[in-house]
Amino acid sequence: MYPAQVRIVEVGPRDGLQNESAHLPVETKITFIDMLSDAGLQTIEAGAFVSPKWVPQMADSDKVFAGIQRKAGVSYPALVPNEKGMAAALEAGVREVAVFAAASEDFSQKNINCSIDESLARFVPVMEMARAADVRVRGYVSCVLGCPYGGNVAPAAVTRVARALVDIGCYEVSLGDTIGTGTPVKTRAMLRAVKDAVPAAQIAVHFHDTYGQALANILVALEERVSVVDAAAGGLGGCPYAKGATGNVATEDVLYMLNGMGIATGVDLAKAAAAGRYIAAAIGKPVASRAGRALQAGLKG
Ligand code: HMG
Ligand code: MG
């Protein structure tokens, strides 16, 4: 019923940190990323080559990429919104990028200052640059279960954008509940609609945990044969253009659940929790992960 193996895409260094007001030294980001690769994470989103006027927290992504220990077999994707970002990512030696679109017109305008179709058109030359450089491209669809500006989002809108991202060459599409309002039944309906157009093997899920629904929604996604789950160590962060939304589901919480289900991830929970504690302390916030806090308190897992 459930996949035997799940790949966790660690997004803490990007999604977790893009929304934090604390200015972190680049060395702290590098240590965090190296702790995550040491924990066994195979995909670690390490930064974003976006406009520093829009997201100043990611302005040092080139320095982050220059400083990390690139572990063999680990992919370190970066977000790119346009050709300028792609050129900067290539310059920094990035070997995998992620383009990001939305299922909601309002969010697309607020987050990347263009319509959904304009964003898809903007990605076409980015894909060409990626192909020429043999760089893999992941795609995101934001607001798959609700929009902070427009409210309800129809599954058909998600399906259309997810399919379009695959059509332009994304190897995988991550479906983002950007504001964390989704619940399990709604998640299943959305995933079934997307699966009519995109095979489950190319779908990832990306839940923010604002209303505490992320693990329940992930369980539904596993039942729907999705086997790639985005998560952030320490459960930090959020999107600057989705006010009030909290961080991603915590990597520690996802690991604790998957370990309990006998699903292999290749990730060491204790080490991931140590990375979560490290970055929370650097920011000056408590660890948001429930499993992380239980481990911190010495409770047996
Ligand atoms: P714009 O203002 O329309 O762009 O922004 P522009 O082309 O007019 O450029 C404006 C200025 O930005 C110019 O500089 C450009 O050179 C510069 P100026 O001439 O004024 O000095 N610029 C750049 N600089 C560095 N890197 C670039 C770049 N592009 C332009 N790549 C733009 C459009 C897309 C650039 C902007 O809206 C932007 O950067 N948005 C990014 C927003 C963002 O990063 N949001 C968070 C990530 S998405 C997310 O969190 C959701 C996700 O987690 C999934 C989920 O949860 O749902 C992925
Ligand atoms: Mg996100």
Side-chain angles (χ1 to χ4, degrees):
M1 183 184 191
Y2 298 111
Q5 243 181 325
V6 161
R7 180 165 61 90
I8 295 183
V9 175
E10 169 62 49
V11 296
R14 193 277 306 169
D15 208 338
L17 299 184
Q18 72 183 9
N19 201 34
E20 293 298 337
S21 49
H23 176 78
L24 292 183
V26 69
E27 293 74 27
T28 304
K29 295 183 179 185
I30 291 166
T31 301
F32 179 41
I33 292 166
D34 289 344
M35 287 177 86
L36 292 165
S37 63
D38 185 53
L41 285 147
Q42 289 146 30
T43 312
I44 305 171
E45 202 170 68
F49 293 87
V50 298
S51 166
K53 288 180 189 144
W54 286 63
V55 185
Q57 291 88 339
M58 292 289 111
D60 56 3
S61 290
D62 56 339
K63 296 186 185 67
V64 170
F65 273 92
I68 54 175
Q69 304 267 346
R70 295 194 200 200
K71 205 172 149 187
V74 177
S75 184
Y76 299 91
L79 243 54
V80 301
N82 53 20
E83 288 172 86
K84 185 174 172 115
M86 185 69 195
L90 291 175
E91 182 75 17
V94 173
R95 301 301 306 150
E96 177 173 343
V97 296
V99 293
F100 49 110
S104 138
E105 285 295 352
D106 293 315
F107 187 77
S108 186
Q109 290 291 351
K110 293 279 200 284
N111 193 43
I112 50 175
N113 206 23
C114 64
S115 72
I116 297 169
D117 285 341
E118 280 164 355
S119 75
L120 294 170
R122 199 178 270 180
F123 299 153
V124 171
V126 172
M127 303 301 297
E128 279 161 17
M129 290 169 79
R131 247 188 306 275
D134 200 20
V135 161
R136 295 210 307 168
V137 185
R138 194 172 196 246
Y140 278 104
V141 185
S142 285
C143 298
V144 299
L145 292 164
C147 167
Y149 309 101
N152 201 42
V153 172
V158 183
T159 305
R160 178 181 88 84
V161 180
R163 184 64 234 175
L165 288 171
V166 170
D167 284 343
I168 62 171
C170 293
Y171 76 91
E172 176 174 288
V173 179
S174 177
L175 303 175
D177 184 9
T178 318
I179 52 173
T181 54
T183 46
V185 171
K186 216 173 155 190
T187 297
R188 194 183 304 281
M190 182 275 295
L191 285 173
R192 288 196 173 163
V194 176
K195 284 199 305 182
D196 282 343
V198 177
Q202 284 180 277
I203 297 175
V205 285
H206 177 108
F207 290 105
H208 287 259
D209 205 20
T210 318
Y211 286 86
Q213 301 299 297
L215 284 182
N217 293 337
I218 289 169
L219 191 66
V220 163
L222 298 175
E223 287 170 5
E224 292 298 323
R225 310 305 296 170
V226 171
S227 62
V228 182
V229 176
D230 298 2
L236 295 166
C239 175
Y241 299 99
K243 292 274 175 273
T246 61
N248 293 85
V249 65
T251 307
E252 300 91 310
D253 295 0
V254 175
L255 280 172
Y256 185 82
M257 182 175 88
L258 296 178
N259 287 349
M261 295 171 73
I263 296 175
T265 61
V267 185
D268 184 297
L269 172 56
K271 286 185 173 180
R277 282 197 298 277
Y278 171 79
I279 201 64
I283 287 167
K285 284 189 175 169
V287 172
S289 162
R290 300 292 290 264
R293 285 209 299 268
L295 290 167
Q296 197 168 15
L299 302 176
K300 290 274 171 272

